[in-house]
Amino acid sequence: MKRRSLLLGAATLTLSQLAAGCDSKPILKIRSLKNSIPAQLVSKFSRDVQPSPLLQVTQEPQLKELFALLQEWKQVPKSKNQADLVMLGDYWLTLAIRQKLIQPIDPAKFANWAQLPERWQKLVRRNDDGQLDPKGKIWGAPYRWGSTVIAYRTDKFKSLGWTPTDWSDLWRSELRDRISLPDSAREVIGLTLKKLGKSYNTQQLDKVPNLKKELANLHQQVKLYSSDAYLQPLTLGDTWLAVGSSGDLLPLLQTEKDIALVIPVSGTALWTDLWVEPASGNRVSLVEKWIDFCLQPRIAPQLSLLAKASSPIIVGMKPEDLPEAVRTNSVLLPDAKILAASEFLLPFGDAGISLYRSLWQEIRQVVKG
């Protein structure tokens, strides 16, 4: 969603000053998505690790740009701008493995790896074709995660006398021409599958009764499809409800008092940002220390609050060990039943991709009545 397609310029931020006379200090070069690494945590890492390291964090506006950098570094090994560690969305992991852009990591080197809930450990264990494999290698370290959520205007819904709680509410007649949806076949077809009691990762779409009819009806509800320009129509009241990434929408709550968020009770799509090592990079001990630092239970709540996205570690922590601001935030920490019903968007084969693309094009061409 917008977290994958921010229209901002790239920025370089050196979070520990590269002061004169400090050439002997170890340096860790990181490439990350903009605003994904809280400066407070970098400062804490620099204080905790001895000798105190220097972190050079270069931020990119879009995850696809980080993926493009991995491709560039494969073509030009030992490039001057190559990082030791790169943030990558789980969506890109399969391609990165297939194209040999990254190298496996050894979880035995991380004291806190066992703190990761099992579903995140399984997510990054892949074979050499990038497919999930319980006997595969570990290709990345989960850093933070979020979900596809429903955002709605509380002021507009007052007159309706109800508020959305699940995907089925998107089909209610009161919302005709009031909704924005992501410009994404996997997301829109996926939430419709969820409404029908199916998995987001269903590939044989032609075997799902009423799917095409449900999608056509939903299409009539939509005012716009957008993955990167849906926030302004919502804040202006041009749309009353939007489906988008929690990474986009949680920060919006700080300034927009008339907007509320809800995770559909039947479950939703999950995304995860990972730390990966470029295939042509030199192994740096600070990489292991940074990853292990991010996996610490004492760091996870801070990361979740400051980065507006959840650390996977908080899912396995006791509620009493979490600050109230995390414990009571149903988007940062969804109800256990809802989280159990939610799914990562898993990689498809060519046949599955073709079915989604074909159905998506067909539905988008339906003339609104």
Side-chain angles (χ1 to χ4, degrees):
M1 310 232 180
K2 193 182 177 189
R3 63 182 291 274
R4 293 178 170 82
S5 53
L6 290 167
L7 304 177
L8 299 168
T12 302
L13 174 64
T14 303
L15 295 169
S16 294
Q17 294 301 314
L18 298 174
C22 294
D23 293 340
S24 60
K25 285 192 174 186
I27 298 175
L28 178 61
K29 297 179 180 180
I30 296 177
R31 290 274 186 155
S32 74
L33 190 65
K34 191 173 177 67
N35 298 325
S36 62
I37 304 179
Q40 298 95 317
L41 293 191
V42 174
S43 297
K44 184 170 180 55
F45 176 74
S46 295
R47 293 194 304 269
D48 288 359
V49 175
Q50 297 299 323
S52 179
L54 302 171
L55 275 79
Q56 183 178 330
V57 181
T58 304
Q59 302 177 104
E60 303 294 341
Q62 302 178 41
L63 285 170
K64 68 179 182 181
E65 293 180 1
L66 292 165
F67 181 79
L69 282 170
L70 290 171
Q71 292 178 312
E72 175 188 321
W73 296 336
K74 183 185 178 183
Q75 298 299 321
V76 188
K78 312 304 178 186
S79 170
K80 290 183 179 179
N81 73 338
Q82 181 164 318
D84 304 308
L85 201 59
V86 177
M87 181 177 290
L88 197 66
D90 63 292
Y91 173 83
W92 299 95
L93 187 59
T94 298
L95 283 176
I97 295 170
R98 286 178 179 172
Q99 296 181 22
K100 296 179 169 53
L101 307 181
I102 59 177
Q103 55 185 311
I105 63 174
D106 182 1
K109 294 183 177 180
F110 309 116
N112 292 295
W113 186 262
Q115 302 286 346
L116 273 172
E118 187 178 5
R119 70 190 305 182
W120 274 275
Q121 293 191 35
K122 288 181 176 179
L123 180 67
V124 292
R125 190 177 286 279
R126 309 285 183 101
N127 60 26
D128 290 343
D129 193 43
Q131 300 296 318
L132 296 177
D133 186 342
K135 296 182 179 180
K137 302 166 188 171
I138 300 293
W139 292 91
Y143 170 63
R144 62 176 197 160
W145 65 276
S147 58
T148 301
V149 300
I150 294 174
Y152 64 96
R153 293 197 60 97
T154 55
D155 54 340
K156 303 294 186 182
F157 272 80
K158 281 180 182 177
S159 62
L160 300 181
W162 60 277
T163 56
T165 60
D166 209 350
W167 294 123
S168 57
D169 289 323
L170 273 59
W171 278 256
R172 293 177 67 149
S173 59
E174 304 96 304
L175 296 181
R176 188 179 179 89
D177 206 36
R178 299 290 190 185
I179 293 176
S180 68
L181 293 181
D183 189 7
S184 164
R186 282 297 300 271
E187 289 282 0
V188 177
I189 296 175
L191 70 86
T192 306
L193 287 166
K194 210 68 177 171
K195 182 204 182 225
L196 294 170
K198 305 294 184 181
S199 167
Y200 260 92
N201 294 302
T202 300
Q203 296 199 44
Q204 295 180 311
L205 300 182
D206 50 341
K207 302 288 180 64
V208 181
N210 298 321
L211 177 59
K212 192 177 296 186
K213 179 182 177 182
E214 292 283 359
L215 282 165
N217 289 339
L218 180 59
H219 180 65
Q220 300 296 324
Q221 302 285 88
V222 178
K223 189 178 185 71
L224 76 147
Y225 293 95
S226 176
S227 298
D228 57 14
Y230 66 96
L231 296 182
Q232 188 175 29
L234 183 66
T235 58
L236 293 176
D238 291 339
T239 55
W240 292 9
L241 182 150
V243 173
S245 168
S246 59
D248 297 341
L249 291 160
L250 273 171
L252 198 65
L253 300 187
Q254 295 177 303
T255 55
E256 299 294 331
K257 62 180 179 59
D258 291 326
I259 292 176
L261 306 183
V262 63
I263 296 183
V265 295
S266 61
T268 189
L270 304 176
W271 53 262
T272 296
D273 288 334
L274 318 164
W275 293 120
V276 298
E277 288 192 73
S280 57
N282 295 319
R283 294 206 178 266
V284 179
S285 61
L286 278 176
V287 164
E288 296 164 10
K289 292 179 179 179
W290 170 253
I291 290 175
D292 210 40
F293 172 83
C294 294
L295 295 175
Q296 293 182 48
R298 67 187 181 94
I299 296 300
Q302 300 175 54
L303 190 159
S304 302
L305 287 174
L306 294 169
K308 303 301 181 187
S310 306
S311 164
I313 304 303
I314 68 170
V315 175
M317 294 176 66
K318 297 178 180 178
E320 58 267 29
D321 292 335
L322 294 170
E324 184 179 5
V326 172
R327 192 172 60 245
T328 61
N329 189 318
S330 60
V331 176
L332 281 179
L333 188 61
D335 178 86
K337 289 183 179 179
I338 295 178
L339 190 55
S342 300
E343 306 169 78
F344 295 114
L345 299 183
L346 301 179
F348 279 179
D350 291 341
I353 292 171
S354 178
L355 278 174
Y356 270 72
R357 183 177 294 128
S358 176
L359 180 56
W360 182 239
Q361 292 173 347
E362 182 179 345
I363 294 301
R364 291 293 294 274
Q365 291 171 2
V366 171
V367 178
K368 291 189 178 183

